[in-house]
Amino acid sequence: MKNDPLMDVYKYGFALIDTALFLDTHPHDQAALEYYEIVRDNYAQAVRVYEENVGPLTKGGVNVNDGWTWVKTPWPWEGGAC
Amino acid sequence: MDNYQQNFQRRDMRRRSNQIQPVNETTAGSDAGFDTDAIDSMNTRNSNMVQNRKNMYEVDGAYNTMMSRASFSRSQRMPQTKMDDNNFRSAMPYNRKKMEEMPCGCQDKMPEQERKIPMNTPMNMPMNKPMIKPIQERTCAAGEVCRMEGCALAMAYIPDQEFREVFEDLTHALMVGTIFSELDKPFLMGGCSKK
């Protein structure tokens, strides 16, 4: 589970949201701002790794060099993204 | 005159009529109708009666409570009553300035004589006198530091969060629903879920 690329997307995405919620009420907290930068970079990297190895996560992540991969990978009800 | 002004005048007349009827016990109050001048003159004639009724109650708070229940809410027509520390708790539910001036009791121990509750027992208390406990008796336990001194009653207070103690394992953070270990409150681990 630790090497699951989708789990990396989930956990860094969640940390990104939770940090953003904190920054909404503490916009000048320097420690939170630095942590946000770290989590944001990790999230972007996790998304990139997943989309390069598995497939697009959003409509904006399709690599057209391989064709329209949005419909090539299995849908969630077909066992995809699990 | 537009609709808003008409409605406003109609409502004002209704309030005046509600005001005069309970006072006018000795005269024919129903004959007063909605005539503003008649209401004013009757209020003047009844001012002595109102003052006498107020004197029946030694505590102004009781007088205010009674008058508000009888729909005597127009302050410009009723005599203003002065609030003091003894009646403010019953007559006025919230007064921040007064609250801040009130001693909490946990810091300075008051003399024993002032701590006595001047309260009538049910045996000797007249029927028209309410039991009022002075606010000075709202004290903390002996020796306990009162951290909420100066805070108003019936208000909830939430401490400001600081950015600290973030989970190193973000997979665990995802499972418990927060990246802050301080906010990880496993309330559901007790009770039935522990079986």
Side-chain angles (χ1 to χ4, degrees):
Chain A
M1 196 178 195
K2 284 185 178 178
N3 296 324
D4 184 2
L6 189 59
M7 179 52 71
D8 285 347
V9 175
Y10 283 154
K11 69 183 186 185
Y12 288 123
F14 170 73
L16 190 77
I17 291 171
D18 215 16
T19 311
L21 288 174
F22 181 87
L23 283 167
D24 284 344
T25 52
H26 304 72
H28 304 295
D29 193 303
Q30 196 59 36
L33 288 170
E34 291 173 4
Y35 185 79
Y36 173 81
E37 275 195 313
I38 296 171
V39 170
R40 182 198 58 196
D41 294 345
N42 278 282
Y43 176 71
Q45 186 180 355
V47 169
R48 190 172 62 249
V49 168
Y50 183 89
E51 290 184 336
E52 285 176 358
N53 295 290
V54 183
L57 283 169
T58 62
K59 297 276 176 108
V62 177
N63 185 3
V64 292
N65 293 330
D66 303 328
W68 187 242
T69 53
W70 181 257
V71 293
K72 285 184 179 176
T73 51
W75 295 102
W77 54 88
E78 295 171 339
C82 289
Chain B
M1 185 181 295
D2 56 10
N3 283 337
Y4 173 76
Q5 287 175 326
Q6 287 176 357
N7 289 333
F8 188 83
Q9 195 177 49
R10 202 173 297 134
R11 188 182 61 180
D12 198 43
M13 290 293 231
R14 200 157 49 232
R15 289 176 63 188
R16 284 166 185 261
S17 67
N18 287 339
Q19 179 195 3
I20 193 66
Q21 285 171 2
V23 178
N24 198 14
E25 290 172 346
T26 55
T27 59
S30 59
D31 294 336
F34 294 99
D35 189 354
T36 307
D37 294 335
I39 293 170
D40 287 338
S41 62
M42 247 177 284
N43 266 330
T44 306
R45 285 204 302 273
N46 288 326
S47 61
N48 289 334
M49 184 194 299
V50 172
Q51 188 62 37
N52 289 337
R53 180 173 297 180
K54 180 187 168 187
N55 291 339
M56 288 170 61
Y57 298 86
E58 292 183 0
V59 180
D60 290 347
Y63 177 78
N64 281 348
T65 306
M66 180 197 73
M67 298 310 274
S68 63
R69 284 176 184 167
S71 302
F72 287 91
S73 57
R74 294 195 69 177
S75 59
Q76 65 267 30
R77 294 192 179 273
M78 289 297 120
Q80 294 292 317
T81 57
K82 185 184 177 185
M83 299 292 177
D84 57 31
D85 289 351
N86 284 334
N87 65 23
F88 124 90
R89 190 179 185 185
S90 63
M92 188 177 294
Y94 176 68
N95 187 324
R96 187 181 181 89
K97 191 179 177 186
K98 286 279 185 185
M99 292 288 288
E100 289 172 354
E101 291 171 0
M102 292 295 175
C104 174
C106 61
Q107 303 289 340
D108 307 319
K109 190 173 182 181
M110 287 188 291
E112 195 64 32
Q113 197 172 4
E114 295 181 18
R115 291 176 60 84
K116 278 189 176 179
I117 307 174
M119 193 165 58
N120 291 315
T121 60
M123 294 299 290
N124 61 6
M125 186 183 68
M127 291 299 291
N128 57 354
K129 288 186 178 178
M131 294 173 66
I132 295 178
K133 188 179 176 184
I135 200 168
Q136 282 83 354
E137 282 299 311
R138 186 170 54 84
T139 59
C140 301
E144 185 179 334
V145 177
C146 182
R147 296 179 182 175
M148 302 295 284
E149 187 178 4
C151 296
L153 293 176
M155 297 289 158
Y157 297 88
I158 302 174
D160 195 21
Q161 185 189 2
E162 295 179 19
F163 193 86
R164 61 187 180 191
E165 297 184 29
V166 176
F167 281 127
E168 199 170 323
D169 183 7
L170 288 180
T171 306
H172 176 72
L174 178 63
M175 295 304 167
V176 298
T178 178
I179 61 170
F180 302 102
S181 62
E182 289 179 306
L183 295 180
D184 181 16
K185 310 285 188 189
F187 294 123
L188 295 177
M189 292 306 290
C192 299
S193 62
K194 215 169 184 179
K195 292 177 182 175

